[in-house]
């Protein structure tokens, strides 16, 4: 019996739901019971009856599942860490707040919003300040709702996402620590970024437009503002999938997001908007062997790489998430 067959057998035997993010390598993605984007996965897991969840993705995603489904045992074949999520922790969050305070903006005039790509601890900090979580697909709604409070938005951790949404809403943005005027900004951005989406550049767009007249450029809002500004469509992972699938097959399209998703999306007339391979190293850490080992650990009662979140952190992180759900 090969590894894939062993995994399928153990899944059934143990009543495990195997979950995989869109950016996972093909052999893992193909065996998953649930696939999707980060928050979408956590919501789908809530609807399952399985006690055990094996989550193939990065650490903050496994934490989100645990926050939203505390009764489930959540394990990860690899607790890979999203580089962007690693750029902020509780200490850096507090340090940035102090810098904003030093610019003359007190905490009572700040509403934090954290991108889903952050740890449960950061989400909890945001929740304690009355803030919310957002995703790349609902950030418009969340930011618009937040601005109605009359407070300045402190957006963490992705500066590009904050800048892109500020620009689309005709708002002023600034980045903490880069010398820009924080008091003049509507959205104050933490200085974090996605290393994969930083690979795409305006030169790549110019190259494809020159080589293939009429080509469409599709990018994720984690890309640089100047790249998004020159794109024909900017959207979240799920929105990109929907958009591209509706295009005629003879329509050429260059996509600026993670490589594994692009190559599965559409075989014809589809190009990667980069001269190098935009593959997320942490999303690609999980292998079939890792999945098998995790399932075996459940069978043997070891529960390797089980995700745990303290009740205090879970409470406030859930508050931040729930405020988003209410909107």
């Amino acid at each position: 019996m090969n590894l894939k067959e062993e995994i399928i057998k153990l899944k059934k035997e143990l009543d495990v739901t195997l979950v995989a993010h869109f950016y996972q390598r093909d052999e893992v993605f193909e065996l998953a019971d649930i696939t999707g984007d980060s928050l979408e996965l956590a919501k789908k897991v809530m609807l399952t009856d399985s006690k055990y969840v094996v989550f193939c993705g990065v650490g903050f995603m496994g934490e989100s599942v645990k926050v939203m489904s505390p009764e489930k045992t959540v394990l990860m074949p690899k607790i890979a860490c999203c580089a962007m999520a690693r750029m902020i922790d509780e200490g850096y969050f507090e340090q940035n707040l102090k810098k904003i305070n030093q610019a003359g903006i007190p905490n009572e005039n700040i509403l934090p919003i954290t991108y889903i790509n952050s740890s449960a601890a950061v989400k909890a900090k945001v929740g304690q300040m009355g803030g919310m979580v957002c995703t790349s697909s609902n950030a418009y709604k969340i930011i618009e709702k937040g601005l109605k409070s009359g407070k300045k938005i402190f957006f963490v951790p992705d500066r590009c996402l904050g800048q892109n949404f500020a620009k689309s809403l005709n708002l002023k943005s600034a980045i903490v620590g880069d010398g820009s005027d924080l008091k003049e900004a509507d959205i104050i951005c933490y200085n974090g970024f996605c290393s994969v989406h930083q690979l795409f550049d305006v030169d790549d767009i110019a190259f494809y437009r020159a080589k293939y007249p009429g080509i469409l450029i599709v990018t994720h809002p984690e890309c640089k503002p100047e790249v998004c500004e020159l794109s024909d469509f900017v959207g979240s992972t799920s929105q990109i999938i929907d958009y591209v699938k509706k295009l005629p097959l003879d329509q050429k399209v260059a996509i600026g997001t993670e490589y594994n998703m692009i190559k599965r999306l559409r075989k014809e007339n589809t190009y990667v908007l980069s001269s190098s391979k935009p593959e997320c190293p942490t999303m690609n850490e999980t292998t079939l062997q890792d999945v098998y080992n995790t399932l075996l650990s459940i069978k043997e009662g070891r529960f390797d790489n089980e995700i745990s979140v303290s009740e205090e952190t879970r409470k406030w992180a859930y508050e931040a998430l729930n405020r988003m759900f209410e909107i």
Side-chain angles (χ1 to χ4, degrees), residues 103-128:
I105 308 164
N107 279 0
E108 54 265 31
N109 292 341
I110 300 168
L111 182 72
I113 294 176
T114 182
Y115 189 26
I116 190 74
N117 294 41
S118 57
S119 68
V122 169
K123 290 182 178 73
K125 283 284 184 184
V126 168
Q128 286 173 327

Side-chain angles (χ1 to χ4, degrees), residues 58-77:
V58 288
F60 78 83
M61 297 177 185
E63 285 186 336
S64 293
V65 171
K66 189 64 179 177
V67 166
M68 293 167 65
S69 301
E71 76 287 355
K72 295 185 185 296
T73 301
V74 182
L75 303 98
M76 298 188 71

Side-chain angles (χ1 to χ4, degrees), residues 159-160 163-164 167 175 197-198 200-206 209 217 219-232 234 273:
R159 66 172 186 245
C160 293
Q163 288 174 301
N164 282 322
K167 186 172 284 191
I175 300 170
H197 288 100
Q198 288 296 295
F200 309 110
D201 214 334
V202 292
D203 290 343
D204 300 318
I205 295 176
R209 291 215 190 276
I217 306 297
T219 55
H220 192 282
E222 290 175 20
C223 294
K224 302 167 193 169
E226 59 268 29
V227 169
C228 291
E229 195 168 4
L230 292 173
S231 301
D232 298 294
V234 179
L273 189 68

Side-chain angles (χ1 to χ4, degrees), residues 28-303:
V28 172
F29 187 84
E30 288 162 3
L31 287 180
D33 303 299
I34 299 175
T35 59
D37 214 344
S38 53
L39 185 64
E40 178 188 2
L41 293 174
K43 290 168 77 173
K44 286 179 178 178
V45 168
M46 290 176 74
L47 302 176
T48 67
D49 296 326
S50 302
K51 179 183 178 182
Y52 302 113
V53 175
V54 172
F55 194 102
C56 304
V58 288
F60 78 83
M61 297 177 185
E63 285 186 336
S64 293
V65 171
K66 189 64 179 177
V67 166
M68 293 167 65
S69 301
E71 76 287 355
K72 295 185 185 296
T73 301
V74 182
L75 303 98
M76 298 188 71
K78 275 284 178 71
I79 308 181
C81 193
C82 166
M84 183 201 297
R86 276 294 295 272
M87 290 178 188
I88 188 168
D89 60 15
E90 297 158 281
Y92 285 134
F93 182 86
E94 293 291 349
Q95 285 175 27
N96 274 249
L97 274 180
K98 284 182 182 177
K99 288 179 181 178
I100 297 171
N101 297 157
Q102 289 163 2
I105 308 164
N107 279 0
E108 54 265 31
N109 292 341
I110 300 168
L111 182 72
I113 294 176
T114 182
Y115 189 26
I116 190 74
N117 294 41
S118 57
S119 68
V122 169
K123 290 182 178 73
K125 283 284 184 184
V126 168
Q128 286 173 327
M129 287 184 67
M132 301 170 278
V133 176
C134 79
T135 68
S136 51
S137 59
N138 68 21
Y140 285 104
K141 283 185 180 180
I142 302 301
I143 291 171
E144 283 182 321
K145 177 70 174 179
L147 288 166
K148 289 178 182 177
S149 68
K151 299 180 180 183
K152 289 187 183 291
I153 302 297
F154 175 34
F155 192 88
V156 303
D158 185 12
R159 66 172 186 245
C160 293
L161 203 65
Q163 288 174 301
N164 282 322
F165 285 117
K167 186 172 284 191
S168 67
L169 293 166
N170 293 315
L171 301 172
K172 291 181 180 178
S173 65
I175 300 170
V176 179
D178 77 342
S180 50
D181 190 342
L182 302 185
K183 289 194 81 172
E184 288 297 309
D186 303 295
I187 299 177
I188 300 170
C189 304
Y190 183 85
N191 198 6
F193 57 88
C194 170
S195 56
V196 174
H197 288 100
Q198 288 296 295
L199 292 173
F200 309 110
D201 214 334
V202 292
D203 290 343
D204 300 318
I205 295 176
F207 169 82
Y208 275 108
R209 291 215 190 276
K211 188 170 183 179
Y212 303 111
I215 195 171
L216 295 176
I217 306 297
V218 174
T219 55
H220 192 282
E222 290 175 20
C223 294
K224 302 167 193 169
E226 59 268 29
V227 169
C228 291
E229 195 168 4
L230 292 173
S231 301
D232 298 294
F233 180 81
V234 179
S236 69
T237 300
S238 296
Q239 289 168 342
I240 287 173
I241 290 170
D242 290 341
Y243 178 82
V244 173
K245 282 187 174 180
K246 289 173 183 174
L247 294 175
L249 285 178
D250 61 353
Q251 171 63 58
K252 290 181 171 58
V253 58
I255 306 172
T257 193
E258 208 276 339
Y259 176 76
N260 280 326
M261 197 197 84
I262 295 173
K263 71 178 182 181
R264 279 196 300 265
L265 187 51
R266 200 180 68 157
K267 305 298 181 189
E268 300 170 57
N269 292 317
T270 304
Y271 306 91
V272 178
L273 189 68
S274 175
S275 55
S276 57
K277 191 177 182 181
E279 191 172 64
C280 178
T282 51
M283 281 287 195
N284 280 269
E285 284 185 27
T286 304
T287 66
L288 281 183
Q289 187 65 53
D290 295 324
V291 174
Y292 173 74
N293 292 345
T294 304
L295 290 167
L296 196 61
S297 81
I298 296 173
K299 184 175 182 177
E300 296 175 352
R302 289 181 285 107
F303 304 105

